[in-house]
Amino acid sequence: IDRFATPAKLIAYCGMHVNKEGAAPKRKAGQPANWSNGLKTALYLWATQLYKSQKLRKAEDVWGDRFDNRFIIEIERAEKRMEIEKLIAQVKALTDQLNDADEEQKTKLKKELNKATKELEKMHKQAKYHAFMRTYRWLSRRLLIHIWKKWREVEGLSVKPERSDVGRESAA
């Protein structure tokens, strides 16, 4: 851990940093990644297990609770970005119209309702995926910061990063 002067450098080494555009870095063909793919994969698997074990977790699981709370926040953000409320309103309006329609209109409205319902399901699935990925990266960074601080405490090193490195997300 003494290789990393700051938590940001450990985060970058694990591939949880952001690039200049503010997005998660991706591997490029012909170029070596500047992070540890093994650690990045381990963090992903850890987050996946937190997600899958939501119903099985004990009440005192601090990291699981953090995951759940952040996942709710990210789902709401993703649904807002995707404007799912508009599609829900459209489905409700089509349902109301279907109740008041004659037989000829019902066939047409059922097709529209079916299409809108499928689109809503697709968007909700996408929102869940994006929320999971954002939560996984957020929680992984929190875990790495926690590990960095605890490890430095055990080693007897300063827990506060050097002033010149605060806030930098450069690769190790």
Side-chain angles (χ1 to χ4, degrees), residues 130-163:
H130 287 285
F132 169 77
M133 293 305 289
R134 290 177 63 90
T135 302
Y136 136 68
R137 291 182 57 76
W138 179 87
L139 193 64
S140 293
R141 287 190 298 268
R142 296 306 169 282
L143 176 66
L144 291 169
I145 291 167
H146 177 76
I147 289 170
W148 185 87
K149 285 180 178 178
K150 292 298 178 186
W151 200 317
R152 302 240 340 156
E153 284 175 10
V154 168
E155 294 285 328
L157 300 170
S158 171
V159 176
K160 292 190 176 191
E162 299 168 16
R163 192 73 189 139

Side-chain angles (χ1 to χ4, degrees), residues 97-114:
Q97 290 175 11
L98 189 62
N99 294 336
D100 300 332
D102 59 22
E103 289 304 315
E104 188 178 309
Q105 290 177 323
K106 279 188 179 183
T107 306
K108 182 181 174 186
L109 287 172
K110 281 181 183 179
K111 285 181 183 178
E112 284 183 46
L113 181 61
N114 190 27

Side-chain angles (χ1 to χ4, degrees), residues 81-104:
R81 277 193 307 272
M82 298 174 109
E83 299 179 343
I84 287 180
E85 291 95 16
K86 289 181 182 179
L87 198 51
I88 291 171
Q90 181 184 355
V91 168
K92 285 181 182 176
L94 285 169
T95 305
D96 293 342
Q97 290 175 11
L98 189 62
N99 294 336
D100 300 332
D102 59 22
E103 289 304 315
E104 188 178 309

Side-chain angles (χ1 to χ4, degrees), residues 52-80:
K52 289 180 178 179
S53 68
Q54 284 173 329
K55 294 175 184 146
L56 305 173
R57 269 192 252 125
K58 295 178 183 171
E60 299 166 10
D61 185 354
V62 175
W63 292 100
D65 292 343
R66 286 181 180 180
F67 181 92
D68 294 343
N69 294 337
R70 187 60 181 208
F71 187 69
I72 290 167
I73 291 167
E74 293 298 344
I75 281 273
E76 290 170 358
R77 286 179 177 174
E79 287 178 348
K80 259 186 200 169

Side-chain angles (χ1 to χ4, degrees), residues 4-23:
F4 309 105
T6 66
K9 289 183 179 181
L10 176 60
I11 288 168
Y13 180 75
C14 294
M16 292 291 118
H17 60 293
V18 293
N19 59 22
K20 292 175 184 172
E21 293 81 37

